[in-house]
Each structure stands twice: as C-alpha cells, then as structure tokens.
C-alpha cells in the first residue's frame, strides 16, 4: 500500500480520499490529479506505482503516456497560429500543404482537421506503426488518399493521425515540426513538464502502461466500415507506448508524456483568458472559437454521439455526466486520462494515470474524481 502525496486545499480533501481508496482497491496502479482555479494550484496529488509489478513508486515528477489527451496540446498549437494570423480556419488545408489537395481533398478546411470532420480519420491500408513513426512517409500517405465521407458533414475521430494532419500544417506554416514548436513555444515558456516526442534523458521517468481489460467479446465492427478501417489504420496496442520508438516519435494525436500537473498548467491557458504564469498564448476571441460547434451527432469512428468544437469536445448530455453545464471544453485519452477546461469557473482539472480502464471518453476512475471535485464546490 502507498499513501497519496502532494497538496490539496481543505475543501477538496475528498479528492485525496478518493484517490487513496482507488489505489488501495487496485482500481488504480499509479495516478496524478491536478486542479487549477483562478490561477492557483489547489489540487496537486499523486500516488501508487509506476510499474505493473508495483515495485517502483509514482513520484512527483513521474511522467506517463497520456494518449489522446495529447490532442489538446496539438489543438493549442494550432490555435496559437490562428491567434497570430498565420493560420486561417476557413482556408483549405491545401493552401498550406498543396499535396493534400489530391484525390478530392481540395475542399478540406483547417477547421475540419481540428474537429475530426475531414473525412480522413486514419491511414488507408496497408499501413504499419513504423510508417507512422516516419513523418515524411506517413504525411505523404495522408496527402495521397481520398476522404471516406464528405468533409465537414460529420465527425469521425482522427485517433492516431490528427497530430500528423495538424502537425504538417504547422510545419508548412512555421518551418518547425509540431514537437519542436510545442517545446519552444508552449512547454518551455510555461515551464511545464510535458513532451510530444520524449527526449531520451527523460525515459527513466516514464510510468509503464498497464493495458485495459479486453473488449467485450460481442464487439466486432462491421467489416469495411469507417470504424473498422480506422481501427486498422494502423492497429496500435497499449504495449506500444512502453517502447523507445513510441516515446521518441512525433505523434501529436497520442504520444504526449506528462502528468496531471503539467497538463493542467498548459491547458489552464484556455480557462484563464489565454494566459498562465504570466505568459500569454491566446486572446479571448481565439478561445471563443473553440466553443463554436462544428459537428454534433454519432461519430463514425467512436460509435457514440460527440459534439466537437475547434480542437476540443463540447458538452453533450450523457457524454461526461459528471461535469456541469456551461462553457466547457475537454478531451481525454485511451484508458481514461482526461482534462476539462471550465471557462465559466476559471478551472482546469486534469487526471493522468498508467492503469487503463475501458471506455470511450473518461472512465470510472475519472468519473469518481471529477464528481468529487464538483460536489465540493458551492457553485
């Protein structure tokens, strides 16, 4: 048994208790929770173990793969370029990346790749994980293929290629790779311990991912469907995140490494008017673009109703029932990691872990923590 460490404001001690209960029960292996309210870090908790055998403690500076929570960082980068006037959401992607116009994609707009509605949710077969690690090859493959539905008409979650689509636009606009721009213009200025493409000197700090339980035996996507094609384009198992190749790669959709504190520190820019720690990254008007609904309905890939704004999901009844109504934007990662930006309350809350649970967005664990936090608030 390990004790939860860190700090928590008196009103939120229930969060510490909930994390301790879940560590003791085995529902968690290792995890961290952070909440920033009106610029103050009111919750900064961590505990458990950084390996499946529970021999290595989860420490203050432990990093973990956050899977698709990475997408919130990629979206932030794109929004920064929009804010600077270097990127236009309504211009075709091909305006910045001419090769992308091939095979009927000339009408795909920048806003479409940020709202999972481009019609290009994954790579066409054949494709391997090694192809995804090869930036030039993988982006050329995306540029060459045709959309799988009419762009802009519906969402189909871009699980592993969103970072390549947005990242190549970032590269064409700035001359820098996504991971480089993020390190130099976001994580660095905010002094946040988060990486897209983890340098080797930090690999020893990474928690081992514990895979989720198998999918129910009855879950079989229809052969040839968008969902089935997306799951094979490519098929990436949880074990992949424990490899050196995964850690080093530039996968802005999925291979970010951080912890709850660093995720909250960066994403609080969204809930705090565009700045954090005295560093301004966005204007309020650009933040408002996030809340502009782009799609609302059953997602072709996830198979459940999702409402997307620009770069983030927006509240929808039944999607995250444990967060309040209002001006919120959020996203999470495979296995349950989650970050919520609550603009009405000036709050960003993040939960990152290494033991994955089943579920599409969030998990039983995230539901417990976010419920405990909002139950402790008087508003």
């Amino acid at each position: 048994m390990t004790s939860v460490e860190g700090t928590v404001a008196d009103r939120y001690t229930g969060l510490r208790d909930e994390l301790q209960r879940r560590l003791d029960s085995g529902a968690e292996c290792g995890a961290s929770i952070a909440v920033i309210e009106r610029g103050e870090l009111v919750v900064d908790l961590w505990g458990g173990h950084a390996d499946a055998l529970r021999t290595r403690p989860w420490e203050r500076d432990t990093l973990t793969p956050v899977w698709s929570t990475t997408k919130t960082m990629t979206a932030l980068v794109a929004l920064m370029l929009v804010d600077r006037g270097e990127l236009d959401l309504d211009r075709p992607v091909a305006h910045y990346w001419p090769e992308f116009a091939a095979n009927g994609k000339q009408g795909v707009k920048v806003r479409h790749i940020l709202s999972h509605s481009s019609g290009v949710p994954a790579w066409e077969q054949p494709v391997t994980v090694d192809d995804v690690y090869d930036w030039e090859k993988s982006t050329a493959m995306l540029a060459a293929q045709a959309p799988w539905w009419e762009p802009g008409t519906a969402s189909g979650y871009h699980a592993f290629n969103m970072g390549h689509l947005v990242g190549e636009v970032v590269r064409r606009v700035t001359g820098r790779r996504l991971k480089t721009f993020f390190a130099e213009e976001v994580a660095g200025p905010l002094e946040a311990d988060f990486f897209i493409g983890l340098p080797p000197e930090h690999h020893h700090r990474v928690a081992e991912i514990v895979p989720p339980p198998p999918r129910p035996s009855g879950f079989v996507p229809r052969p040839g469907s968008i969902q089935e094609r997306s799951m094979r384009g490519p098929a990436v198992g949880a074990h992949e995140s424990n490899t050196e190749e995964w850690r080093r790669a530039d996968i802005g959709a999925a291979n970010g490494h951080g912890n709850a504190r660093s995720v909250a520190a960066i994403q609080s820019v969204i809930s705090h008017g565009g700045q954090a720690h005295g560093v301004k990254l966005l204007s309020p008007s650009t933040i408002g673009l996030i809340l502009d609904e782009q799609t609302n309905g059953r997602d072709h890939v996830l198979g459940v109703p999702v409402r997307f704004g620009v770069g983030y999901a927006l509240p929808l009844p039944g999607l995250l029932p444990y967060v309040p109504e209002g001006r919120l934007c959020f996203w999470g990662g495979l296995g349950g990691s989650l970050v919520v930006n609550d603009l009405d309350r000036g709050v960003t809350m993040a939960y990152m872990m290494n033991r994955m649970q089943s579920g599409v967005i969030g998990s039983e664990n995230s539901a417990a923590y976010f419920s405990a936090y909002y139950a402790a608030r008087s508003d």
Side-chain angles (χ1 to χ4, degrees), residues 143-165:
Q145 68 188 63
W148 296 358
W149 68 88
E150 184 182 348
T153 60
S155 71
Y157 185 48
H158 297 15
F160 285 103
N161 71 343
M162 181 213 181
H164 285 68
L165 292 170

Side-chain angles (χ1 to χ4, degrees), residues 163-248:
H164 285 68
L165 292 170
V166 176
E168 183 61 9
V169 172
V170 169
R171 189 176 76 88
R172 298 296 178 110
V173 170
T174 69
R176 286 179 280 176
R177 289 279 292 272
L178 173 66
K179 65 180 182 180
T180 303
F181 185 98
F182 176 82
E184 295 176 348
E185 305 260 2
V186 181
L190 294 178
E191 298 181 353
D193 201 14
F194 193 99
F195 305 84
I196 300 174
L198 187 67
E201 61 267 28
H202 298 291
H203 287 194
H204 70 282
R205 296 199 282 140
V206 179
E208 177 187 7
I209 284 293
V210 181
R215 287 180 180 271
S217 57
F219 177 80
V220 180
R222 180 171 54 83
S225 65
I226 292 172
Q227 186 177 51
E228 190 265 348
R229 292 163 70 189
S230 295
M231 291 175 64
R232 293 191 297 116
V236 179
H239 65 279
E240 194 73 38
S241 67
N242 293 322
T243 67
E244 297 267 329
E245 293 80 6
W246 177 271
R247 292 172 183 173
R248 290 196 306 263

Side-chain angles (χ1 to χ4, degrees), residues 14-240:
L15 265 175
R16 180 195 293 273
D17 298 340
E18 190 62 46
L19 178 56
Q20 187 68 65
R21 278 194 293 270
R22 290 178 177 270
L23 288 168
D24 293 345
S25 72
E28 295 279 17
C29 179
S32 59
I33 303 171
V35 181
I36 296 177
E37 288 182 353
R38 307 293 180 187
E40 181 183 358
L41 184 63
V42 296
V43 177
D44 183 17
L45 299 172
W46 64 89
H49 295 88
D51 65 327
L53 295 178
R54 290 176 163 79
T55 64
R56 183 160 58 100
W58 186 294
E59 300 177 337
R60 185 183 187 279
D61 68 345
T62 294
L63 304 174
T64 189
V66 304
W67 296 96
S68 288
T69 296
T70 313
K71 291 181 175 70
T72 64
M73 307 302 177
T74 296
L76 178 58
V77 167
L79 288 164
M80 289 170 62
L81 295 178
V82 170
D83 199 74
R84 296 174 183 181
E86 298 178 46
L87 187 62
D88 186 337
L89 294 176
D90 288 314
R91 279 196 180 273
V93 171
H95 174 78
Y96 306 98
W97 178 8
E99 298 91 332
F100 192 78
N103 251 324
K105 299 192 303 302
Q106 64 274 7
V108 176
K109 298 179 180 180
V110 172
R111 67 172 64 248
H112 295 153
I113 61 174
L114 283 164
S115 60
H116 304 273
S117 63
S118 74
V120 186
W123 282 270
E124 291 278 14
Q125 292 294 322
V127 61
T128 67
V129 177
D130 286 341
D131 292 332
V132 175
Y133 294 155
D134 183 332
W135 187 268
E136 297 297 336
K137 181 177 182 179
S138 57
T139 54
M141 291 169 70
L142 292 171
Q145 68 188 63
W148 296 358
W149 68 88
E150 184 182 348
T153 60
S155 71
Y157 185 48
H158 297 15
F160 285 103
N161 71 343
M162 181 213 181
H164 285 68
L165 292 170
V166 176
E168 183 61 9
V169 172
V170 169
R171 189 176 76 88
R172 298 296 178 110
V173 170
T174 69
R176 286 179 280 176
R177 289 279 292 272
L178 173 66
K179 65 180 182 180
T180 303
F181 185 98
F182 176 82
E184 295 176 348
E185 305 260 2
V186 181
L190 294 178
E191 298 181 353
D193 201 14
F194 193 99
F195 305 84
I196 300 174
L198 187 67
E201 61 267 28
H202 298 291
H203 287 194
H204 70 282
R205 296 199 282 140
V206 179
E208 177 187 7
I209 284 293
V210 181
R215 287 180 180 271
S217 57
F219 177 80
V220 180
R222 180 171 54 83
S225 65
I226 292 172
Q227 186 177 51
E228 190 265 348
R229 292 163 70 189
S230 295
M231 291 175 64
R232 293 191 297 116
V236 179
H239 65 279
E240 194 73 38

Side-chain angles (χ1 to χ4, degrees), residues 251-268:
I251 307 176
N255 86 323
H257 289 75
N259 49 43
R261 185 188 315 106
S262 62
V263 171
I266 295 170
Q267 288 299 307
S268 66

